[in-house]
Amino acid sequence: MTTADRTTPARTAFLALDFATYIVENFSHDHDVAANAAKALESARAAGLPVFHIVHEAMRGQLHPLLGPVGDEPVLAKSTMGAFAGTDLDARLRASGVERVVIAGVATSGTVLSTARWAYDTGYEVAVCADACADPDARAHAALIDASVFPESWIGLWRIARVLDLSELADLRG
């Protein structure tokens, strides 16, 4: 990597994970997660980030009303916990020159964690929009996004990702 490479901003994409109505309504400790994720999507779109919606194949047509695709944003059907295995997400991201992903989704201990780890392990910079994520267990969510909860733990997303809140998304550019 040259000095010029380090000063060029990474191309960033936004990944909206498992925002099917059933999942949002039944696997979220945070009743505001859909509204927060909608704000995150709005920020990502305003910043010009490519947006990818990934949902379990059985729920592809059941995206939450606040979180549906706009224009040609793809909706990818997955059959596993994470967004990469069994989809062409990695190929799409690499073809677009994406180097960084911003992740939002339900559930933090499921699809968010699995997707973030896969992305990190394959060389992407990873950011997680904490207030646009939720989990059935508020304690699991906190342990994964807040370094102060279990500072000695290796499971925290903060070990492999930049944990952001909604206000920080505006700083990202595609």
Side-chain angles (χ1 to χ4, degrees):
M1 179 182 281
T2 68
T3 304
D5 292 335
R6 279 186 240 124
T7 60
T8 303
R11 175 123 166 98
T12 304
F14 187 87
L15 308 181
L17 306 177
D18 279 343
F19 284 115
T21 300
Y22 177 81
I23 292 173
V24 170
E25 291 176 356
N26 292 283
F27 297 99
S28 173
H29 74 281
D30 182 356
H31 297 293
D32 294 327
V33 71
N36 289 343
K39 290 175 188 170
L41 270 172
E42 182 180 312
S43 292
R45 290 170 179 144
L49 305 185
V51 173
F52 295 84
H53 303 266
I54 302 97
V55 67
H56 191 276
E57 60 193 2
M59 298 180 184
R60 190 172 189 176
Q62 301 170 20
L63 290 175
H64 192 282
L66 296 177
L67 299 160
V70 171
D72 62 353
E73 294 172 354
V75 178
L76 305 179
K78 66 184 182 88
S79 59
T80 62
M81 183 74 64
F84 285 95
T87 71
D88 65 349
L89 177 61
D90 186 50
R92 288 174 183 247
L93 294 173
R94 294 195 190 281
S96 298
V98 169
E99 298 171 350
R100 179 188 316 139
V101 294
V102 177
I103 298 171
V106 177
T108 315
S109 65
T111 191
V112 173
L113 179 61
S114 180
T115 300
R117 288 196 182 279
W118 185 300
Y120 176 80
D121 286 346
T122 57
Y124 292 97
E125 292 177 40
V126 180
V128 174
C129 185
D131 40 6
C133 293
D135 196 84
D137 185 335
R139 297 168 302 167
H141 175 79
L144 288 166
I145 61 140
D146 185 347
S148 70
V149 174
F150 292 114
E152 307 288 320
S153 172
W154 284 97
I155 65 165
L157 287 164
W158 40 268
R159 292 256 185 215
I160 61 168
R162 181 175 165 206
V163 178
L164 308 170
D165 62 37
L166 286 170
S167 67
E168 296 174 279
L169 286 180
D171 298 336
L172 302 173
R173 295 282 169 221

